[in-house]
Amino acid sequence: MRFFLPLAVFMSLPAVVLAAEQEQGGLVLDDVTVSAHPREEHDREVAHTMSALDGEQLEAAGLQRSEDLQQRVPSLLVSMPNPRYASYGIRGLGASSANDGIDGSVGVYLDGVYLGRQGMSLFDLADIERVEVLRGPQGTLYGRSGTAGAINILTRRPTFDTEANGEVTMGEDGLREYRGSVSGPLLDGVLAGRLTGYDVARDGQIDNLYDGSHPGDRNRQGLRGQLSWVPSEVFSARLIGEYAWQDEQVALLAGGYSAPTRARAAYLGHRLLPLDPYARRVQSDQPSRIRTRQNGVTLELIRTLGNGASLTSITGYRDWRYDTGMDADGQGLSIAGVSAQLDHRQFSQELRLADSPNEHVDYVVGLYYLRQRLDRQIDNRFGEDAAAWFLGDRPEVAGLPPDMIPPSLLDGTRQAFDGGQRSDSRALFGQFTWHATDRLAITPGLRYTTERKRGWIARQVSALAPLPPGWQLGQELRDLALGDNDYRRNSIEEHNLSGRLAVAYRLQDGLLAYASWARGYKAGGINLDMVGEGVEPTFDAERATSLEIGLKSSFWRERVLFDLALYQTDVDGYQVLTNRPGDTELSPPIRDNLINVPEVRLRGVELDGLLRASPRIDLRLGLAWSEARYRDFANAPCAPGSVQQLCDLSGKRLFNAPQWSGTAGIDYRHPLEHGLELFTALDYSFRSGYSGTLEGGAGSYLPSYELTNLRLGLRRGDRRWEGELWVRNLFDQHYIGSVQALLADGDYAVLPGDARAMGVTLRGRY
């Protein structure tokens, strides 16, 4: 791997915000007060690895999407082929959400409310106070337990001082971004409000050779309104209402063709596009469009009790609608199309009591309840080329011309998959910290969780035309490719006890050493898909046990912050999505089934740091090395095209787990006359290659890549206004953002990352 930045760019800590002023005794860095723990405390005192990304810094760097966060947090991997398949991974742990029955290993929260589907986080990060990324198992401080970590997104609160800000961005490919917010008092000293909105659009970057259209566009809007009521010093209330909308035409590009696909295309005389996703070309005979809509209401109540304890209530309701119609084959042939509608609704209630009865003790205890309801409808429709396509590699029809295969074998037929899931989660959690001495703190925590899930799925086949005389193979094709009408209902109930123990010792001023043990839990669930042979309709819970030691230090008169963490996490029952081949040559070769990997081990080292080199220069760097492997996976699915069905992957590297990742940056400010300031920044991130699917077939590998972004601008010293020119992906690096398996055994589609783009951004503040 190569680095474009000089060696002087040597330390970064996203968990801190730089002080703007020079103090006596030299330049210093300010600690960040974080709320990752419900009792706010300084990041340097937390015996846990975390990154806190300041909202203003994210805005300045142009990192306004959830998938951009991985450019600042090396241990974080975000895959967003579309909202339904969105997934987060931390330290190599975190599978795809393509099966609707799976929960994320990484819990995502917005203003304290857990988002039940990871695609619900694909809103614009507008008017954000900060984003906190906690690594490792969570459960003794949050309402929802997690095995890999948590992402906590906090929006800016209403203010009692009038303020407003706006931002306009224009760039290549018709990029248009508008963001703004206004905040101020509605009733002096008692009631304040805040209104935030955004509108983001960009033209498509992909050429559809079939009809000349340009999918791959962006079209997202959102609105957030807040009220803050502070009638007294001991009580406050915050009400948040949100709306977000997305309507985009999407396209996935060919990343790998299976042998059956090549044979079928040759039989039909169809020319497959070359495997060059960076050419950004598809041939799709029907548009693929995704629409999502999200509404949310959050009510936060905080009461200070007579003894000084703080009681917090967070009530949240959200509904999320996903609606899509897509070309299932992407071949420019009328083979299959799919439409899907998901309707997710959730209600959550969390109560927390936090107190420090004396200087030696503080604690947090809480109750949590979450109810989720998912309804879905999926409709597969087959076209006039489907029968010839699926029979094209069969020896018994190889001598027939394609037009001799009756299209009516499959043309017009439908597979309707209806289903749903209801889930209830209840938990009691708490964490206690004993400050045994001025230097030693011991923190135990426990969590008890009850999970109940009930789900159902039905398959109904319709619109079958009469079989042509003499086509017995047609009935076999229908039976195996379409299946029979089917219905099943399943339920699970689980109880779990997990916990955490951490010991922190201040070796000297500015140097904290800590060690922690944590046990995380993620409930089992229901395969919300028709399962293949050897796959159970339900899957078991995922449990992660993590050991971690680390150092947090500040030195050189607090101008340097440096963190080092070493960890090992053993995961039992890792929940993964597997795309197994069909039971026969004619049956559907891809089934999105959930299974449990018996044992996985994650080991790694993480280094973060930050340097204020001078009043004008800030330097940062973060590095992460991960060794993630299957410890026990003797009956794993083999790569597509293998002679055997099952392979032993024990000892092999885990999928979606790059070995190396890092981020670095330099910010420079130069004062000018008349109160003006010139500024520039260079941001860099890299990630080594990794497999994007469990089976690891040809075409599912994501090569290593590096991204470099450059900014140059002019602003007033008080930042009332600023303008900047920017270039993202400065060196026009070709890279793949995500990969997924498609219709055939060994076919893969990939989503390429954004090409180099240039533009201008103007910001104003009042």
Side-chain angles (χ1 to χ4, degrees), residues 267-563:
Y267 175 73
L268 288 174
H270 175 68
R271 183 178 178 181
L272 298 171
L273 286 177
L275 291 177
D276 183 10
Y278 306 125
R280 302 178 186 272
R281 294 181 298 175
V282 297
Q283 48 181 356
S284 179
D285 64 310
Q286 52 185 304
S288 297
R289 183 168 294 278
I290 288 177
R291 297 179 178 90
T292 65
R293 184 218 66 213
Q294 182 171 186
N295 299 301
V297 178
T298 302
L299 177 62
E300 178 192 70
L301 306 175
I302 301 176
R303 172 78 183 201
T304 302
L305 305 180
N307 60 357
S310 175
L311 180 63
T312 301
S313 168
I314 300 178
T315 306
Y317 170 81
R318 307 193 79 84
D319 63 69
W320 181 73
R321 174 79 176 184
Y322 172 90
D323 189 351
T324 183
M326 304 190 74
D327 183 4
D329 54 88
Q331 297 297 339
L333 298 171
S334 180
I335 300 175
V338 60
S339 62
Q341 292 83 38
L342 276 67
D343 190 357
H344 175 93
R345 300 181 183 184
Q346 67 173 69
F347 170 82
S348 62
Q349 175 62 58
E350 183 170 352
L351 289 173
R352 292 195 305 259
L353 178 66
D355 191 16
S356 297
N358 57 61
E359 62 181 2
H360 298 293
V361 173
D362 59 66
Y363 67 85
V364 175
V365 295
L367 293 169
Y368 182 72
Y369 174 73
L370 171 66
R371 167 164 288 186
Q372 300 180 87
R373 173 175 176 172
L374 174 68
D375 295 299
R376 73 169 198 171
Q377 294 178 322
I378 298 177
D379 191 4
N380 294 331
R381 304 172 307 280
F382 293 89
E384 61 183 3
D385 296 319
W389 175 265
F390 287 119
L391 294 174
D393 61 337
R394 297 277 293 184
E396 55 264 52
V397 300
L400 297 175
D403 57 8
M404 292 295 293
I405 300 177
S408 59
L409 294 178
L410 288 178
D411 187 22
T413 60
R414 294 180 59 227
Q415 282 179 315
F417 295 89
D418 294 338
Q421 180 171 279
R422 311 291 183 265
S423 63
D424 289 276
S425 176
R426 297 172 173 85
L428 170 65
F429 59 90
Q431 185 165 293
F432 168 88
T433 300
W434 175 41
H435 301 277
T437 69
D438 291 340
R439 295 182 177 272
L440 176 64
I442 302 173
T443 304
L446 282 175
R447 176 190 181 88
Y448 177 75
T449 304
T450 298
E451 294 273 355
R452 294 186 178 92
K453 294 182 179 180
R454 306 175 305 281
W456 64 279
I457 181 171
R459 177 174 61 198
Q460 185 175 12
V461 179
S462 61
L464 293 171
L467 281 173
W471 270 94
Q472 291 80 10
L473 183 61
Q475 185 60 50
E476 182 184 355
L477 171 65
R478 287 181 172 183
D479 291 343
L480 296 175
L482 301 175
D484 297 324
N485 293 342
D486 196 6
Y487 175 86
R488 67 176 167 86
R489 181 181 294 271
N490 303 100
S491 63
I492 67 165
E493 181 173 344
E494 295 180 351
H495 304 269
N496 181 76
L497 183 65
S498 56
R500 179 174 184 262
L501 177 64
V503 178
Y505 187 78
R506 185 163 299 283
L507 300 173
Q508 62 184 46
D509 291 343
L511 182 60
L512 178 74
Y514 68 90
S516 68
W517 171 93
R519 176 83 163 171
Y521 159 80
K522 184 173 73 164
I526 300 166
N527 254 316
L528 289 183
D529 213 321
M530 292 297 169
V531 296
E533 183 179 353
V535 178
E536 298 296 327
T538 61
F539 53 94
D540 295 331
E542 175 181 299
R543 293 177 171 85
T545 304
S546 179
L547 294 172
E548 182 177 317
I549 59 174
L551 290 173
K552 294 189 175 187
S553 62
S554 62
F555 53 93
W556 195 13
R557 296 181 180 178
E558 299 185 7
R559 291 171 59 180
V560 175
L561 300 179
F562 178 86
D563 285 6

Side-chain angles (χ1 to χ4, degrees), residues 578-581 595 633 635-639 645-647 649 694-695:
T578 177
N579 299 312
R580 291 180 178 271
I595 61 174
F633 201 12
N635 295 319
C638 296
Q645 291 272 328
L646 298 178
C647 292
L649 295 184
L694 184 148
E695 296 86 355

Side-chain angles (χ1 to χ4, degrees), residues 1 25 54 70 128 215 279 313 369 565 614 702 742 760:
M1 75 188 66
D54 178 70
Q70 59 190 328
I128 298 297
S313 168
Y369 174 73
S614 75
L702 287 78
L742 283 183
V760 59

Side-chain angles (χ1 to χ4, degrees), residues 243-278:
Y243 171 82
W245 172 259
Q246 174 188 11
D247 184 357
E248 298 174 348
Q249 190 174 352
V250 299
L252 292 173
L253 291 84
Y257 295 128
S258 66
T261 290
R262 294 183 183 275
R264 292 165 178 173
Y267 175 73
L268 288 174
H270 175 68
R271 183 178 178 181
L272 298 171
L273 286 177
L275 291 177
D276 183 10
Y278 306 125

Side-chain angles (χ1 to χ4, degrees), residues 85-330:
Y85 295 165
S87 66
Y88 293 84
I90 293 179
R91 292 176 171 174
L93 188 62
S96 169
S97 60
N99 189 304
D100 298 314
I102 196 171
D103 295 320
S105 298
V106 179
V108 183
Y109 299 81
L110 177 61
D111 289 319
V113 174
Y114 172 76
L115 303 181
R117 305 204 64 82
Q118 301 205 337
M120 295 168 70
S121 67
L122 299 189
F123 45 76
D124 195 270
L125 297 176
D127 207 24
I128 298 297
E129 180 69 28
R130 64 183 176 276
V131 179
E132 300 169 352
V133 181
L134 284 79
R135 307 167 216 166
Q138 307 296 318
T140 61
L141 288 170
Y142 280 109
R144 188 71 167 170
S145 180
T147 52
I151 299 175
N152 192 20
I153 303 171
L154 302 168
T155 63
R156 295 190 180 110
R157 293 176 172 268
T159 61
F160 284 96
D161 294 324
T162 301
E163 63 177 44
N165 65 78
E167 175 183 297
V168 177
T169 294
M170 297 290 178
E172 292 184 282
D173 296 317
L175 178 66
R176 307 171 300 281
E177 299 181 355
Y178 309 97
R179 301 180 181 88
S181 67
V182 59
S183 180
L186 301 176
L187 187 60
D188 192 29
V190 176
L191 184 66
R194 190 177 195 98
L195 185 64
T196 303
Y198 66 87
D199 186 351
V200 175
R202 191 199 66 187
D203 299 336
Q205 295 183 330
I206 298 173
D207 295 325
N208 187 350
L209 303 183
Y210 185 87
D211 61 8
S213 62
H214 299 283
D217 62 332
R218 291 181 190 164
N219 182 26
R220 303 180 184 183
Q221 298 85 36
L223 189 67
R224 181 191 310 121
Q226 301 186 60
L227 292 174
S228 179
W229 182 43
V230 188
S232 69
E233 295 181 355
V234 298
F235 178 78
S236 66
R238 183 188 185 195
L239 179 65
I240 308 172
E242 295 168 283
Y243 171 82
W245 172 259
Q246 174 188 11
D247 184 357
E248 298 174 348
Q249 190 174 352
V250 299
L252 292 173
L253 291 84
Y257 295 128
S258 66
T261 290
R262 294 183 183 275
R264 292 165 178 173
Y267 175 73
L268 288 174
H270 175 68
R271 183 178 178 181
L272 298 171
L273 286 177
L275 291 177
D276 183 10
Y278 306 125
R280 302 178 186 272
R281 294 181 298 175
V282 297
Q283 48 181 356
S284 179
D285 64 310
Q286 52 185 304
S288 297
R289 183 168 294 278
I290 288 177
R291 297 179 178 90
T292 65
R293 184 218 66 213
Q294 182 171 186
N295 299 301
V297 178
T298 302
L299 177 62
E300 178 192 70
L301 306 175
I302 301 176
R303 172 78 183 201
T304 302
L305 305 180
N307 60 357
S310 175
L311 180 63
T312 301
S313 168
I314 300 178
T315 306
Y317 170 81
R318 307 193 79 84
D319 63 69
W320 181 73
R321 174 79 176 184
Y322 172 90
D323 189 351
T324 183
M326 304 190 74
D327 183 4
D329 54 88

